[in-house]
Amino acid sequence: MCWSARYALLLLASTFITYAGGLILEKIKKVDPLRKSFYYRITLIFAVGLNLFIIFYFKYSNFILGLMRAVAFRLHIDLHIPVIDVILPVGISFYIFQALGYLIDVYRRDIYAEKNFLQYALFVSFFPQLVAGPIERSKNLLKQLADTKKFNYENVRQGLLIMLWGYFLKMVIADRSAVLVNAVYAKYLEYKGFQLITANILFAIQIYCDFMGYSTIAKGAAKVLGFDLMENFHEPYFACSLKTFGEDGIFL
């Protein structure tokens, strides 16, 4: 992953597409309250499709092309498939899925379309959770962005404590677990059953504390600024289905 000034254009493009899509959906709803219009559905499909294309191109294009090269090699087919020179932009999944969440909320009539472009752009690019999440619900964050914020000592104190806990999860538990996990996984044939089981358990702890740490740091940073982010990472390992797993912990 990397960040470059030109990748800000992707953020701007996703923001503009979903902003315009929301306004169009809102306008169509006034003409067609039952939302049965062909244009109502096609607007959503078009806006979602453009955003998913951006993600697919930057995250999976070389992966798919690599599979095609491997298949061609196995089948002894002389097929020249180029390598696309792309680098995955930091946070692309988080801000695109947050923007798509807003658009779907407008489509479902859970919220009204945001008419202030700058306020909507701030929602999509809200920096505490821009790079590593958590993905925030539009109906929770947009209304907070509309409120005037003033310095609040208690918010700052609570936010810093939350951030401290997040750093503990990430730097003390996750990163320390990674040391043993990486050592075992690098030479797994040299280790026995108990050691492999221990490494697997620690790996589960590592990725949990990684994501939980990032989310907690983001929540703390937002709290310092006077914003309350929703809890969207809650005991994913105790989920009983893929649906509840997605609700309890978002891994993007």
Side-chain angles (χ1 to χ4, degrees), residues 180-195:
L180 189 146
V181 171
N182 292 340
V184 173
Y185 283 7
K187 299 180 180 180
Y188 61 91
L189 293 177
E190 299 179 7
Y191 294 92
K192 298 182 180 180
F194 176 76
Q195 295 165 319

Side-chain angles (χ1 to χ4, degrees), residues 84-122:
I84 301 177
D85 184 20
V86 294
I87 301 176
L88 181 62
V90 171
I92 186 171
S93 295
F94 293 102
Y95 66 71
I96 284 184
F97 279 107
Q98 180 151 310
L100 291 182
Y102 158 82
L103 195 64
I104 293 170
D105 284 342
V106 174
Y107 178 83
R108 292 176 174 174
R109 286 186 168 180
D110 292 337
I111 61 170
Y112 291 104
E114 177 58 55
K115 294 180 173 58
N116 187 322
F117 177 76
L118 292 179
Q119 188 160 299
Y120 176 69
L122 179 58

Side-chain angles (χ1 to χ4, degrees), residues 6 44 52 61 64 72 121 124-125 193 225 243:
R6 67 179 183 272
L44 178 70
L52 292 181
S61 56
I64 298 297
V124 176
S125 61
L225 299 175
K243 180 178 182 296

Side-chain angles (χ1 to χ4, degrees), residues 28-37 40-41 109:
I28 295 175
K29 279 191 290 187
K30 294 178 181 179
V31 179
D32 179 24
L34 297 179
R35 299 175 296 167
K36 293 182 179 180
S37 168
Y40 192 73
R41 295 187 179 90
R109 286 186 168 180

Side-chain angles (χ1 to χ4, degrees), residues 5 10 19 30 34 42 61 67 93 109 117 119 128 133 148 151 156 167 172 192 203-204 211 221 233 238 243 245 252:
L10 292 176
Y19 171 75
K30 294 178 181 179
L34 297 179
I42 204 65
S61 56
L67 287 179
S93 295
R109 286 186 168 180
F117 177 76
Q119 188 160 299
T148 301
F151 177 82
V156 174
Y167 281 116
V172 177
K192 298 182 180 180
F203 179 65
F211 284 101
F233 195 97
F238 291 95
K243 180 178 182 296
F245 180 80
L252 292 175

Side-chain angles (χ1 to χ4, degrees), residues 83-246:
V83 176
I84 301 177
D85 184 20
V86 294
I87 301 176
L88 181 62
V90 171
I92 186 171
S93 295
F94 293 102
Y95 66 71
I96 284 184
F97 279 107
Q98 180 151 310
L100 291 182
Y102 158 82
L103 195 64
I104 293 170
D105 284 342
V106 174
Y107 178 83
R108 292 176 174 174
R109 286 186 168 180
D110 292 337
I111 61 170
Y112 291 104
E114 177 58 55
K115 294 180 173 58
N116 187 322
F117 177 76
L118 292 179
Q119 188 160 299
Y120 176 69
L122 179 58
F123 160 74
V124 176
S125 61
F126 188 57
F127 88 90
Q129 38 88 238
L130 174 64
V131 174
I135 296 173
E136 185 60 28
R137 294 284 186 179
S138 55
K139 57 186 175 183
N140 177 57
L141 185 55
L142 272 173
K143 63 182 180 182
Q144 294 187 65
L145 292 172
D147 297 335
T148 301
K149 301 296 180 183
K150 296 182 180 180
F151 177 82
N152 185 298
Y153 170 79
E154 188 59 26
N155 282 343
V156 174
R157 187 187 70 83
Q158 291 181 14
L160 291 176
L161 288 175
I162 293 171
M163 290 177 68
L164 184 63
W165 174 241
Y167 281 116
F168 175 82
L169 291 172
K170 167 60 181 162
M171 301 177 70
V172 177
I173 300 180
D175 288 355
R176 294 305 93 200
S177 298
V179 174
L180 189 146
V181 171
N182 292 340
V184 173
Y185 283 7
K187 299 180 180 180
Y188 61 91
L189 293 177
E190 299 179 7
Y191 294 92
K192 298 182 180 180
F194 176 76
Q195 295 165 319
L196 293 173
I197 291 173
T198 302
N200 286 334
I201 293 173
L202 284 176
F203 179 65
I205 294 172
Q206 175 196 339
I207 60 174
Y208 174 85
C209 290
D210 257 331
F211 284 101
M212 185 64 176
Y214 291 141
S215 297
T216 303
I217 293 168
K219 288 187 65 177
K223 187 68 175 179
V224 169
L225 299 175
F227 297 91
D228 293 308
L229 299 184
M230 296 177 65
E231 183 72 44
N232 77 335
F233 195 97
H234 182 65
E235 299 179 350
Y237 287 156
F238 291 95
C240 298
S241 67
L242 286 176
K243 180 178 182 296
T244 53
F245 180 80

